[in-house]
Amino acid sequence: MSDDKGPPLTLDSPVSDVDRRLANRRTGVRTKGPPASQVLADAFGIDSVGHLLRHYPRRYIDRSATVPVGELRFRQGQQVTVIGRVKRVDRRLTRRRQSMVTVKLYDGTGTLDLVFFNQPWTASTYREGLELAVSGQAAVYRGRLQLANQEVEVLRGDEAETVHTGRITPIHRAAEGISTRTIRELVHGALERLPPIDDPLPPDLVAEEALESEDFSLRAVHFPEDPQSLQRATDRLKFDELFALELGVAYRKRRVERTEKGVVHASEGQASGAYVAGLPFELTQAQRRTIKEVGEDMAAPRPMNRLLQGDVGSGKTVVALYAALVAVQSGHQATIMAPTEVLAGQHFRTARSLLASVGGRDLLSMKAGARVGDQPSLLDGLGQEEPEGDRLTFALLTAGVTGKDRQRVMEGIREGTVDLLIGTHALVQEGVEFADLTVAVIDEQHRFGVHQRVVLKEKGVHPDMLIMTATPIPRTLALTYYGDLDVSTLDEMPAGRRPVATTVVRSAAERLQAYERVREEVAGGRQAFVVCAAIDEANRLEVRAAEKEAERLAREVFPDLRLELLHGRMRPAEKEAVMDRFRVGEADVLISTTVIEVGVDVPNATVMLVENAERFGLAQLHQLRGRIGRGDHPSYCILFDESHPDNAEARARLDAIARTTDGFALADEDLRLRGEGTLFDVRQSGMPDLKLARLADDVDLVRRARARAFATVDGDPGLDRHPELLELLRHSFSGEAIEWLFHS
Ligand code: ADP
Ligand code: MG
């Protein structure tokens, strides 16, 4: 289309070099907007031909796969494309005075109505006589055919031809000021003038994996000849994405292992042995295996970087305390960090009970003894009174520990008289200096990013790190974004756990039954949780705020029961008091925000009601449910679904949680429903983001890319013989992830 071909393009050429006329094209209101090339830069960050080619089509119109209107009735529920000509356009106002445009599309076999609400401009966009390609889900609504979530493309002159001649037409994501058509023409022009595109991967790897060439794939992903070549091209480009990610992961993992000297701990000591022997229960097989893995890591001369994943209640804290003991019996310090005050308190209580058998005791429960006038130096005296080795001193550091107590704890840590510190992430990370920290256990409520991993390490000299997560991580995620960590999995529940029966409530009658269930359980001596989504009514319409809900329940539903309210804005001491009353059975029902999501261990609680359950993610709901079913009684989780009946995603999510109690199955489902982008902020962390690959679906490609990446790094740890791969890392990773990759 350009007559002046100019010099050959490279991937670094500016987009305007592709075709000046196209790049300057203006669309939008009276064509006063910025030129296309500017829009590309602003909207998508595309400023070179290379970037342009990575702007992959978001879908395709495949003429050979289109369906005649006459057949739609038999394709209900399927994703289909229909191509036809506009026969008539009607505009009218609905009774609610909304604009409604109906476009009648005819393809020789039948007529399909496309309906647009509140988009009056569609009447002129889809004029009579134009040819349209419409994709969507075939459905019959009130006796009429329609395509749900329809997407419409106008096929103009030449496009209609290419489509008619059997070509697959790419639809690129457009933006205000640039049409998908202009983008398509730019990409087409660029590919015509680019010499063969270099392959970023070593030729032997490409051959052994039987991948298509980069040149073929970049061309075919935009303009495929047929569905098979599109598939092959996409696989190749997905492999590239996953390989870059895995290469980074492998590089970082091996670099850390090679260069960082860790502390060699004595994993088979007196204290850890006595601890395991003194536990009031049998360890599960999974706990034994994990304890062994942790012990081996800690005894090795390189730092541990281990992820411990296990469902709520699978017994992670037992393992965490073991790791702490290994550090302490080797003469060092340990810390266990939790995301919330409540959870830190819970770990602290667990420590108090499980460490008693090895002489563990709380710093603050010890008489300050010779301490006069709180002279810090006198703490040393304390240490001398109590011979080292016999004692294990632990302490809690939360916002609730204040004044002199706080001072004592801080000094104990700094001077090494506190062996194990349990606290919240925020406090431990920001406020504390350790004398000799060699193991840090991080208990994470949610999924964590690169940032946390980098910050934490700075607290000790290459401390061993054990990251615990109660949100099981889908396998593919553990192999990719967390792929530099070694993984232990507690995939077995302690004996005697009863699965929780989960139901979803959508009607008023069912709601009453749910309240009846609470009553019955309380009458039988049990307790119940009611969880609400937020603490005030900032989101007035839908959220049943905990405070309002507590009032309502007290007044209208359970006037005769003992209710307590717990929310995140209460002072730590208040929270503790409420939790204590509930724990000892002085309250029947605890109404709370998600503060209780983690850390509450009240085996007598057997009912969990969740208001506006549709507002919670799968992982969160699973966490909440894990709060019950901890005792000997059958337990019930009841989810109130207030979502709109059309909200298929919410329905799918709640049905999934009702269907299974397997956290790992739910994690996979979560990934499938939400996609990787939402798991944590990939972009912000600077990890490469995946444009084509889908972790939930591309398990096989993940494994292949991972195996190749590790083989490459193991054969050439510094990538000295693969400068092009080092370069690949430099431009695939950015920001904090660069630090993580090369330095920290
Ligand atoms: P998690 O942190 O994985 O949710 P916890 O470590 O808090 O689980 O353990 C939950 C409860 O189960 C605690 O009361 C703990 O003492 C108990 N527990 C842990 N391991 C076992 C086991 N092997 N047998 C019986 N009870 C156990
Ligand atoms: Mg726990």
Side-chain angles (χ1 to χ4, degrees), residues 281-284 287 310-318 347 350 354 494-495 497 601 627 630:
F281 41 70
E282 280 288 305
L283 289 174
T284 62
Q287 280 171 322
D311 235 325
V312 180
S314 59
K316 294 182 293 297
T317 314
V318 173
H347 284 325
T350 307
L354 297 185
R497 286 284 151 75
D601 194 6
R627 298 300 120 206
R630 299 184 151 228

Side-chain angles (χ1 to χ4, degrees), residues 34-54:
S37 57
Q38 190 60 46
V39 177
L40 279 178
D42 295 345
F44 302 117
I46 296 174
D47 49 22
S48 68
V49 167
H51 287 161
L52 179 67
L53 296 188
R54 299 295 170 181

Side-chain angles (χ1 to χ4, degrees), residues 203-213 232 236 704 708:
D204 45 339
L205 195 162
V206 173
E208 284 162 27
E209 285 292 329
L211 299 170
E212 287 292 350
S213 74
R232 290 199 311 275
R236 164 63 210 258
R704 283 165 56 192
R708 289 286 168 194

Side-chain angles (χ1 to χ4, degrees), residues 13 110 142 159 161 420 427 429 438 440 460 519 525 708:
S13 307
R142 296 193 175 155
E159 276 172 321
E161 265 155 46
L420 165 62
L427 288 177
Q429 287 180 21
T438 63
R519 236 166 232 301
R708 289 286 168 194

Side-chain angles (χ1 to χ4, degrees), residues 144-223:
R144 284 174 171 279
L145 288 173
Q146 67 166 29
L147 295 181
N149 301 320
Q150 64 197 11
E151 294 207 51
V152 187
E153 293 301 325
V154 177
L155 305 176
R156 295 199 175 77
D158 55 332
E159 276 172 321
E161 265 155 46
T162 57
V163 172
H164 284 303
T165 54
R167 279 279 287 282
I168 299 176
T169 306
I171 307 297
H172 294 86
R173 191 149 58 91
E176 167 128 30
I178 191 166
S179 66
T180 174
R181 174 190 173 83
T182 302
I183 297 177
R184 176 161 61 233
E185 289 175 8
L186 280 169
V187 173
H188 195 270
L191 287 173
E192 268 193 336
R193 289 186 39 213
L194 268 178
I197 298 158
D198 287 342
D199 209 299
L201 303 187
D204 45 339
L205 195 162
V206 173
E208 284 162 27
E209 285 292 329
L211 299 170
E212 287 292 350
S213 74
E214 188 79 357
D215 184 62
F216 169 88
S217 304
L218 265 182
R219 292 172 193 275
V221 76
H222 293 285
F223 298 100

